[in-house]
């Protein structure tokens, strides 16, 4: 039996050996470990298919049952299992590595069973680490502090990456417990401070690597360092592959969120970060790398628009966490010592002003300014000299207005420090409902708004029944209000191109082969001109006219003569003979024109009457030509004489008409092939520019 009031590391126990004899062993011994296999953790499936969900539930049930069995063990058995069971450490490490973070909660399946099981694992893992970080559970069950620090350090039960993951996973709603855990770990084993210094240097190297990946000059690089010959060939945020851009954004989001959570829960680490000039490096990285990443996300073409939205959301979240980290570092390394009245207050004040001065050359935005203003206001709160609320709002409004003119569009996308929306709001609600599942989401939302989205304060006030009067009147089961969706603007638009084949607002699929920029690839002018497909397409249209063309080609002149000579239908009228009827004539008084024309018309009518039955087309053409010539002669029209430029053979002389025709041809031939060269030559010759 273990001795009472003796540290576990000094206790001895007597147990039967495998051979049946009793033996005495230290309380912490590998032979006292129970045979149990802890399975690694796997995150919930993203697609939510029934088979994958069932597999996750069964797998998670094994982990939950094993951890609950572990937590139920007595003090000595628990620590034997923790120190000597490698499968347990693999299980805990896998959860810290693969558990969904705040921004990943929105991608989890909406199955209630999956959500309940995930909460069960989350709670069991946290309680396990909480017990592992406690060196004294009771007066009878405890460790020697120095031995406890050596056990957790030498067996890698805790290290800096694990502590960082614990903060980002369990920080919401458990900040005070985590603070006590981490403070006890660093107190019992100061070697963790050395590991933290190495971790800070690694984080700074990560920022430099991101800048190099984006093709940007690192702020800490020396000017004397020679540039490599292939430096100009490095990819930038706009030219790198989409997968590389995705990896950079995800890594940046995870790093900034984790560091901020760690410094928020364990402020004592701010000194270690500041010893490496972390604040200056972080602000420089913010102004150098963030604009290029924002531009790349906005300007690049993404086949999946949801991916673009997710990247923008994660980058905005990273910017917000970087600004929060700057606020924490300034508060705990500069403002807090001044407010506590420590020695060398002048040194801390000068350091704070020096940081503010270093921020001036950088591009400012409203988010950072709001955090600086909050830092100043916290100083007023701590000394009991709170500024009037109206004056505070006025100063914030003036600062916002002065910065809005220089703020880039990307800065407007960053969320305000007090406005929590989207995945982070869902994470806050989830943390509160884990402890208070009976409360409605609508009631919790009102509580979060009242207490500036501080989940710990909300939980504490609800448990102690110290809610504000306006919250105490609300129904605690109030559901979440349904957000009314505004009608889409695109549904109300009107355009002449609505519904065409390129209307991307009404068509899910557009033939992109018919869309190109500039000259079409592979387009050839000769091939385009030789393409006669449009002629074949028009054949069907003109095919219907072939019958009319054939009838015109088969015109029968005798057919018309037959019907002209035979007065078909002329004798069909009853009681009257059209053949003997006198043709209509205009009275002499009403006629216009001279007497010769009237006589000519009468003569033509007589000739037409005389030749009514002679319908030879050749004769009709001759008569029409004769009438035309006679009319032109009466009007004084002289037909143009045919040109004769050939003339007589040489030696016989030329007529005056031939010479005139040749001169006329020479003068007018500039209108055709020679393109006015002859007239221009004559013009130069007349001005004396060309010797004649």
């Amino acid at each position: 039996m273990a001795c009472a009031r003796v540290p576990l590391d000094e206790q001895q126990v007597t147990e039967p050996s495998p051979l049946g004899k009793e033996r005495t062993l230290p309380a912490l011994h590998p032979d006292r470990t129970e045979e149990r296999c802890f399975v690694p953790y796997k995150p919930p499936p993203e697609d939510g298919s029934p088979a994958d969900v069932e597999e996750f539930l069964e797998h998670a049930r094994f982990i939950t049952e094993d951890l609950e069995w572990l937590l139920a063990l007595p003090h000595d058995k628990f620590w034997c299992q923790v120190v000597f069971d490698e499968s347990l450490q693999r299980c805990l490490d896998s959860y810290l590595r693969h558990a969904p973070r705040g921004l990943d909660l929105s991608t989890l399946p909406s199955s209630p069973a999956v959500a309940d099981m995930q909460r069960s694992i989350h709670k069991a893992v946290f309680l396990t680490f909480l017990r592992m970080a406690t060196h004294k559970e009771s007066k009878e069950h405890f460790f020697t502090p120095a031995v406890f620090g050596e056990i957790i350090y030498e067996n890698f039960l805790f290290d800096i990456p694990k502590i960082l993951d614990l903060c980002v996973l369990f920080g919401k709603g458990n900040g005070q417990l985590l603070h006590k855990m981490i403070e006890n770990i660093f107190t019992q084993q100061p070697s963790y401070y050395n590991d933290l210094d190495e971790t800070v240097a690694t984080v700074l190297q990560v920022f430099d690597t991101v800048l190099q990946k984006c093709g940007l000059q690192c702020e800490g690089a020396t000017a004397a360092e020679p540039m490599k010959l292939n430096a100009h060939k490095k990819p930038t945020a706009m030219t790198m592959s989409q997968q590389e851009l995705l990896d950079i954004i995800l890594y940046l989001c995870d790093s900034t969120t984790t560091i901020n959570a760690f410094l928020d829960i364990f402020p004592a680490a701010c000194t270690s970060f500041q010893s490496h000039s972390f604040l200056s490096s972080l602000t420089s990285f913010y102004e150098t790398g963030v604009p290029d990443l924002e531009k790349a996300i906005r300007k690049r073409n993404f086949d999946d628009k949801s991916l673009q939205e997710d990247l923008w959301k994660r980058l905005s979240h990273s910017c917000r966490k970087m600004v929060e980290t700057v606020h924490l570092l300034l508060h705990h390394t500069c403002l807090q010592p001044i407010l506590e009245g420590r020695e060398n207050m002048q040194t801390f004040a000068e350091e704070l002003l020096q940081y503010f001065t270093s921020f001036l050359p950088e591009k400012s935005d409203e988010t950072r300014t709001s955090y600086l203003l909050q830092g100043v206001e916290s100083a007023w709160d701590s000394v009991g000299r709170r500024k009037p609320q109206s004056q505070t709002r006025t100063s914030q409004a003036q600062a916002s207005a002065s910065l809005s003119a220089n703020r880039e569009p990307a800065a407007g996308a960053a969320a305000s420090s007090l406005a929590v929306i989207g995945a982070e709001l869902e994470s806050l609600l989830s943390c509160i409902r884990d402890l208070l599942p009976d409360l409605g989401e609508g009631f919790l939302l009102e509580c979060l708004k009242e207490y500036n989205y501080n989940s710990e304060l909300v939980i504490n006030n609800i448990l102690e029944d110290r809610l504000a009067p306006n919250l105490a009147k609300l129904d605690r089961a109030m559901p979440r209000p349904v957000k009314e969706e505004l009608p889409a603007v695109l549904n109300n638009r009107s355009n002449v191109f609505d519904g065409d084949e390129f209307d991307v607002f009404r068509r899910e699929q557009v033939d992109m082969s018919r869309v190109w920029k500039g000259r079409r690839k592979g387009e050839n002018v000769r091939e385009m001109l030789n393409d006669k497909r449009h002629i074949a397409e028009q054949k069907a249209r003109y095919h219907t006219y072939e019958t009319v063309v054939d009838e015109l080609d088969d015109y029968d002149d005798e057919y018309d003569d037959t019907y002209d000579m035979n007065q078909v239908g002329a004798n069909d009228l009853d009681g009257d003979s059209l053949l003997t009827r006198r043709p209509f004539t205009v009275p002499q008084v009403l006629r216009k024109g001279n007497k010769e024309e009237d006589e000519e018309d009468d003569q033509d009518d007589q000739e037409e009457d005389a030749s009514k039955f002679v319908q030879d087309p050749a004769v009709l053409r001759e008569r029409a030509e004769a009438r035309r010539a006679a009319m032109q002669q009466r009007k004084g029209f002289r037909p143009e004489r045919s040109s004769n430029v050939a003339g007589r053979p040489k030696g016989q002389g030329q007529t005056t008409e031939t010479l005139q025709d040749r001169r006329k041809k020479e003068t007018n031939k500039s209108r055709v092939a020679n393109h006015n060269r002859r007239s221009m030559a004559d013009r130069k010759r007349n001005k004396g520019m060309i010797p004649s």
Side-chain angles (χ1 to χ4, degrees):
M1 294 295 295
C3 298
R5 297 188 179 274
V6 177
L8 181 61
D9 50 277
E10 298 179 3
Q11 291 182 13
Q12 300 287 328
V13 295
T14 302
E15 292 183 350
S17 64
L19 300 178
K21 297 182 179 180
E22 291 187 354
R23 59 177 179 173
T24 302
L25 298 174
L28 290 178
H29 195 274
D31 292 345
R32 303 193 66 204
T33 304
E34 298 289 340
E35 291 292 336
R36 200 175 187 95
C37 181
F38 292 82
V39 296
Y41 170 80
K42 293 182 180 179
E46 295 183 359
D47 54 357
S49 61
D52 294 339
V53 169
E54 184 65 27
E55 181 182 0
F56 168 77
L57 293 177
E58 183 178 5
H59 196 86
R61 194 176 299 110
F62 291 151
I63 298 176
T64 305
E65 293 176 355
D66 289 341
L67 292 180
E68 290 177 351
W69 169 84
L70 176 68
L71 292 171
L73 292 176
H75 186 248
D76 56 340
K77 287 286 187 177
F78 171 83
W79 277 101
C80 288
Q81 206 74 30
V82 167
V83 174
F84 302 113
D85 192 343
E86 296 182 358
S87 66
L88 171 61
Q89 296 305 319
R90 287 195 296 268
C91 174
L92 297 176
D93 291 347
S94 64
Y95 185 82
L96 296 181
R97 187 180 300 112
H98 300 296
R101 268 61 173 171
L103 291 178
D104 300 328
L105 295 175
S106 59
T107 61
L108 296 179
S110 58
S111 172
V114 173
D116 293 341
M117 186 57 68
Q118 178 64 28
R119 283 194 291 267
S120 299
I121 299 179
H122 192 78
K123 181 179 180 180
V125 172
F126 177 68
L127 293 178
T128 301
F129 277 109
L130 181 62
R131 190 175 183 184
M132 288 168 54
T134 305
H135 73 284
K136 184 177 181 180
E137 293 185 2
S138 63
K139 294 181 180 180
E140 291 79 16
H141 304 100
F142 62 94
F143 276 99
T144 303
V147 177
F148 172 79
E150 183 178 355
I151 289 175
I152 61 174
Y153 190 81
E154 296 298 333
N155 293 279
F156 298 97
L157 301 184
F158 290 97
D159 53 27
I160 299 300
K162 287 183 180 180
I163 294 174
L164 295 176
D165 288 333
L166 287 172
C167 291
V168 74
L169 284 175
F170 304 101
K172 296 293 184 180
N174 304 289
Q176 295 181 356
L177 289 176
L178 273 176
H179 175 75
K180 293 180 180 179
M181 282 175 52
I182 299 174
E183 186 178 32
N184 187 53
I185 291 172
F186 277 82
T187 301
Q188 306 305 331
Q189 182 52 269
S191 298
Y192 282 111
Y193 282 105
N194 298 330
D195 296 346
L196 181 60
D197 290 336
E198 297 178 359
T199 303
V200 175
T202 304
V203 173
L204 293 176
Q205 184 62 38
V206 168
F207 289 153
D208 293 341
T209 303
V210 171
L211 293 178
Q212 293 174 4
K213 290 288 185 180
C214 296
L216 302 172
Q217 180 66 30
C218 181
E219 186 72 17
T222 59
E225 183 180 355
M227 182 178 293
K228 298 181 181 179
L229 295 178
N230 60 347
H232 63 282
K233 299 181 180 179
K234 291 183 178 180
T236 63
M238 287 294 296
T239 60
M240 67 174 57
S241 65
Q242 183 171 308
Q243 185 60 42
E244 289 180 338
L245 179 62
L246 175 62
D247 293 340
I248 288 177
I249 298 298
L250 293 178
Y251 193 80
L252 180 62
C253 180
D254 184 68
S255 300
T256 54
T257 304
T258 303
I259 293 172
N260 176 259
F262 175 65
L263 294 179
D264 187 25
I265 292 173
F266 189 57
C270 292
T271 305
S272 299
F273 276 79
Q274 275 300 83
S275 64
H276 293 268
S277 300
F278 186 82
L279 183 59
S280 301
S281 300
L282 183 60
T283 54
S284 177
F285 172 81
Y286 184 96
E287 297 298 342
T288 305
V290 170
D292 273 37
L293 293 175
E294 289 177 339
K295 178 182 177 182
I297 297 176
R298 291 199 309 267
K299 298 295 183 65
R300 289 178 62 129
N301 294 325
F302 289 86
D303 297 333
D304 186 3
K305 293 300 181 182
S306 61
L307 175 60
Q308 184 180 18
E309 295 175 358
D310 182 69
L311 290 180
W312 180 260
K313 179 176 66 175
R314 291 181 183 275
L315 182 59
S316 301
H317 181 78
S318 302
C319 295
R320 179 168 177 261
K321 291 304 177 183
M322 283 188 279
V323 175
E324 288 182 355
T325 302
V326 171
H327 176 240
L328 288 172
L329 291 173
L330 287 175
H331 179 76
H332 292 292
T333 60
C334 298
L335 288 175
Q336 193 67 28
I338 296 175
L339 298 176
E340 293 177 355
R342 299 181 189 175
E343 298 180 358
N344 301 324
M345 292 177 56
Q346 184 66 27
T347 303
F348 292 112
E350 291 179 356
E351 184 178 359
L352 178 62
L353 294 177
Q354 181 64 31
Y355 282 125
F356 285 164
T357 305
S358 65
F359 294 158
L360 293 178
E362 308 289 354
K363 301 175 183 177
S364 299
D365 58 42
E366 185 177 356
T367 307
R368 176 188 295 169
T369 305
S370 65
Y371 274 96
L372 296 178
L373 290 175
Q374 290 177 23
V376 176
E377 291 170 8
S378 65
W380 283 79
D381 290 337
S382 300
V383 298
R385 297 169 58 189
R386 178 65 176 168
K387 293 174 62 178
Q389 187 68 18
S390 59
Q391 184 179 354
T392 302
R393 293 179 179 176
T394 304
S395 62
Q396 291 180 349
Q398 292 175 351
S400 176
S402 63
L403 292 170
S404 60
N406 298 326
R407 183 182 59 187
E408 295 183 356
S416 173
S417 62
L418 298 179
V420 179
I421 58 175
E424 189 169 359
L425 180 60
E426 299 298 330
S427 177
L428 291 176
L429 290 174
S430 177
C431 292
I432 299 176
R433 296 200 68 187
D434 288 343
L435 298 176
L436 305 170
D438 297 334
L439 300 180
E441 291 188 357
F443 175 75
L444 295 179
L445 282 175
E446 295 298 326
C447 294
L448 288 172
K449 293 177 183 178
E450 178 69 22
Y451 297 109
N452 295 327
Y453 297 93
N454 188 334
S455 59
E456 297 182 17
L457 189 58
V458 171
I459 295 174
N460 186 58
N461 289 339
I462 292 177
L463 294 178
E464 296 181 3
D465 199 13
R466 295 189 305 174
L467 290 174
N470 59 325
L471 297 177
K473 299 177 182 179
L474 297 178
D475 181 12
R476 298 202 171 194
M478 181 174 61
R480 192 171 189 170
V482 179
K483 184 178 180 181
E484 297 182 1
E485 296 184 359
L486 297 177
V489 179
L490 295 178
N491 295 335
N492 300 328
R493 75 183 187 114
S494 179
N495 194 285
V496 295
F497 301 105
D498 286 349
D500 65 2
E501 58 179 325
F502 301 112
D503 190 356
V504 296
F505 299 110
R506 288 178 170 81
R507 290 180 176 268
E508 296 182 357
Q509 298 292 336
V510 176
D511 186 6
M512 299 303 297
S513 63
R514 301 194 59 193
V515 180
W516 64 87
K517 183 179 181 181
R519 175 173 289 185
R520 196 174 190 176
K521 293 183 179 180
E523 184 178 4
N524 188 285
V525 177
R526 187 175 299 277
E527 293 179 359
M528 181 181 68
L529 294 177
N530 293 334
D531 186 7
K532 306 299 182 183
R533 288 179 296 180
H534 62 285
I535 297 179
E537 295 174 357
Q538 299 297 331
K539 282 186 177 181
R541 177 180 298 178
Y542 292 100
H543 180 72
T544 57
Y545 298 100
E546 291 183 357
T547 305
V548 178
V549 175
D550 293 343
E551 291 177 357
L552 293 176
D553 292 340
D554 298 339
Y555 173 74
D556 187 4
D557 185 61
E558 294 182 358
Y559 174 83
D560 291 345
D561 295 344
T562 301
Y563 283 91
D564 288 340
M565 295 174 64
N566 300 328
Q567 298 293 329
V568 178
N571 300 323
D572 292 345
L573 295 177
D574 297 337
D576 196 359
S577 178
L578 295 178
L579 296 176
T580 60
R581 181 179 299 177
R582 180 180 177 180
F584 176 79
T585 58
V586 181
Q588 187 72 23
V589 181
L590 300 178
R591 293 183 182 179
K592 295 181 181 180
N594 52 24
K595 183 176 181 182
E596 295 179 358
E597 293 180 356
D598 296 339
E599 293 177 355
E600 183 68 25
D601 294 340
D602 293 341
Q603 184 179 357
D604 294 340
D605 294 339
Q606 292 175 4
E607 291 177 357
E608 184 177 356
D609 293 340
S611 60
K612 183 178 298 184
F613 298 101
V614 181
Q615 298 297 331
D616 188 1
V619 176
L620 294 176
R621 286 192 293 270
E622 292 178 0
R623 290 178 179 177
E625 186 66 27
R627 288 195 299 271
R628 188 181 302 107
M631 183 179 297
Q632 292 176 350
Q633 186 176 3
R634 288 196 304 269
K635 294 182 179 181
F637 176 77
R638 296 179 60 185
E640 185 177 358
R641 181 177 54 82
S642 61
S643 176
N644 182 17
V645 296
R648 300 173 184 175
K650 287 185 178 182
Q652 298 182 8
Q654 303 297 336
T655 62
T656 304
E657 290 79 3
T658 301
L659 295 176
Q660 290 177 353
D661 291 341
R662 289 180 177 178
R663 192 179 302 110
K664 183 178 180 181
K665 176 183 178 182
E666 184 72 15
T667 303
N668 296 328
K669 70 179 182 179
S670 63
R671 294 182 301 175
V672 284
N674 284 332
H675 302 291
N676 209 23
R677 286 182 293 176
R678 177 68 62 181
S679 61
M680 295 303 295
D682 292 342
R683 182 179 180 184
K684 293 180 180 180
R685 186 180 294 107
N686 294 336
K687 292 186 178 182
M689 301 173 66
I690 300 177
S692 57

